[in-house]
Amino acid sequence: MKIGNIEMGNTPVCLAPMAGTSSVTFRAICVQQGASYGPTELVSARSISYGNFERSFRYMKISPSEEKITAIQLFGFEPSDFEEAVKAICSDDLLKDVDIIDINMGCPVAKVVKTGAGSALMNDPERAFRIVESTVRAAESFGKTVTVKTRIGFGEFGPASVEFARGLAASGASMVCVHGRTAKQMYGGEADWNAIRKMRDAVASEGVKFFSNGDVKDEESALRLLDVTEADGIMVGRAAMGDPWIFARIRAALDGRETPPAPSVREKCDMLIRELKGTVSNIGETTGVKEMRSVMPHYLKGLRGASGVKVELCRATTVKEVEVILKGFCDTWI
Ligand SMILES: Cc1cc2nc3c(=O)[nH]c(=O)nc-3n(C[C@H](O)[C@H](O)[C@H](O)COP(=O)(O)O)c2cc1C
């Protein structure tokens, strides 16, 4: 299956972009476990268009050799910012090999919405479509593919949501991914897969690829989401935090193979350390350990005796400290 000019293989299962989680290290880990790819977290098109790479670079960092398919996600309000951002990315030595530019039209966070970007674009469809057109124009000249990630609506799902999806496809997006919540819902309540399905029908009639997203918790829910929405692929977000093995399990279920064995406690701790060390090598030990505090406890989810260890991990300041804490924990399991 192809998205634009990128070969994806059968039924892509991707890591959803998540600010604070979708680092280049974690994306590479997920791809190794079977994820098709994962976009970076959202990065401001305006700040890149102003040449402000210094602040944004760490969020845009890609590793084509490890990730295989790479995607940078941009958010913004002005179509010209996207055009300039694409040109800047495609002219940068370390970013120019990116495959996909993904446009964020789903972020519900107030500081993004109040600038008219993210999910606010669902309330301003004409602008949203101009953003897609401008991005596609700039990206095409570098041979890059453009995708959009959005939601089932801003305040509520309705005919306007379906028209919005159709408009994104008609404006030149090669793939539209829909998260089954409205912006008003943020991350609460349940994803409405039937609403996603209605948006999928509109996009499919334009001959454009469609991904669904929201509330995949395991391989069984992944297969159900694909079934209900008849999507070409899916994105998995929160369930992958601390559990990159979910991609191997979903892949096995899709291929009709047996579920791979669950990782041992030691394998979980080793993977945590691998993600931590990768993060630290990119952004330094002080910031890296601090930012991993919200991620590390996920690796120990559901493990007996882990609650005290999770608290200790959230106080750690060095890799060594984390290693000592985890060694003590693993030893209790042998
Ligand atoms: C902490 C966090 C950060 C997120 N950051 C982004 C982001 O940068 N860009 C984006 O398009 N979606 C972002 N999302 C939304 C996810 O990509 C996804 O749509 C949402 O979590 C629903 O999928 P899930 O139920 O599989 O988690 C974020 C979600 C979470 C929980």
Side-chain angles (χ1 to χ4, degrees):
M1 197 270 268
K2 271 183 144 183
I3 295 182
N5 54 5
I6 312 295
E7 181 56 56
M8 292 272 161
N10 288 339
T11 320
V13 178
C14 307
L15 174 67
M18 287 182 289
T21 299
S22 298
S23 66
V24 62
T25 306
F26 188 59
R27 297 194 313 266
I29 287 173
C30 290
V31 167
Q32 201 186 41
Q33 292 300 325
S36 306
Y37 74 98
T40 65
E41 66 180 73
L42 77 178
V43 186
S44 161
R46 171 149 294 183
S47 93
I48 303 167
S49 72
Y50 284 172
N52 186 359
F53 268 45
E54 240 162 75
R55 240 182 93 215
S56 316
F57 187 77
R58 55 167 286 209
Y59 302 110
M60 287 194 284
K61 194 165 176 194
I62 52 170
S63 175
S65 63
E66 293 173 295
E67 294 183 81
K68 302 196 180 71
I69 299 168
T70 54
I72 293 179
Q73 188 184 68
L74 300 176
F75 75 96
F77 173 73
E78 279 300 337
S80 58
D81 288 346
F82 284 82
E83 218 165 317
E84 292 308 314
V86 170
K87 287 182 197 158
I89 288 169
C90 296
S91 311
D92 182 85
D93 276 350
L94 297 171
L95 302 177
K96 65 177 190 308
D97 289 332
V98 70
D99 298 303
I100 296 170
I101 302 294
D102 185 48
I103 306 174
N104 181 307
M105 296 195 182
C107 179
V109 173
K111 77 173 183 213
V112 170
V113 170
K114 74 169 187 249
T115 67
S119 61
L121 287 166
M122 287 188 279
N123 288 332
D124 194 352
E126 291 312 317
R127 177 177 288 277
F129 303 155
R130 276 191 288 121
I131 287 176
V132 176
E133 284 163 8
S134 298
T135 312
V136 169
R137 203 178 317 119
E140 263 179 356
S141 62
F142 294 96
K144 309 298 182 191
T145 295
V146 175
T147 59
V148 178
K149 183 162 173 286
T150 187
R151 290 187 173 230
I152 56 168
F154 187 85
E156 58 189 27
F157 170 73
S161 318
V162 176
E163 278 315 304
F164 187 71
R166 199 191 310 280
L168 295 175
S171 307
S174 292
M175 183 275 278
V176 174
C177 174
V178 174
H179 169 196
R181 287 185 177 78
T182 62
K184 211 165 103 189
Q185 279 181 287
M186 304 283 285
Y187 296 100
E190 269 182 23
D192 182 346
W193 293 354
N194 294 317
I196 301 181
R197 169 61 197 258
K198 290 185 180 131
M199 291 174 77
R200 176 264 173 207
D201 290 344
V203 169
S205 67
E206 298 284 333
V208 166
K209 297 290 189 290
F210 185 90
F211 281 13
S212 4
N213 162 246
D215 291 353
V216 167
K217 294 184 168 72
D218 47 28
E219 53 275 35
E220 189 268 332
S221 48
L223 295 193
R224 258 190 309 116
L225 175 60
L226 278 164
D227 191 44
V228 172
T229 62
E230 281 201 27
D232 299 294
I234 55 170
M235 287 200 168
V236 180
R238 290 163 295 179
M241 288 176 170
D243 185 14
W245 300 275
I246 191 172
F247 294 104
R249 297 197 300 274
I250 295 175
R251 204 68 265 167
L254 278 170
D255 298 346
R257 285 182 283 112
E258 241 178 70
T259 310
S264 66
V265 174
R266 189 165 296 279
E267 281 167 328
K268 288 183 184 198
C269 292
D270 286 348
M271 192 66 96
L272 185 166
I273 296 286
R274 184 171 151 204
E275 188 181 342
L276 177 69
K277 285 187 171 165
T279 305
V280 162
S281 79
N282 280 326
I283 59 176
E285 185 161 34
T286 309
T287 317
V289 176
K290 200 161 155 202
E291 292 197 2
M292 280 288 292
R293 283 179 186 164
S294 61
V295 170
M296 292 188 289
H298 288 285
Y299 279 96
L300 308 182
K301 245 178 320 206
L303 293 179
R304 171 173 44 82
S307 49
V309 179
K310 289 187 202 165
V311 174
E312 283 181 60
L313 288 175
C314 290
R315 292 195 188 120
T317 55
T318 64
V319 174
K320 189 81 220 153
E321 260 179 81
V322 173
E323 282 177 326
V324 170
I325 296 166
L326 290 179
K327 182 168 183 323
F329 179 62
C330 280
D331 288 348
T332 66
W333 278 81
I334 292 165

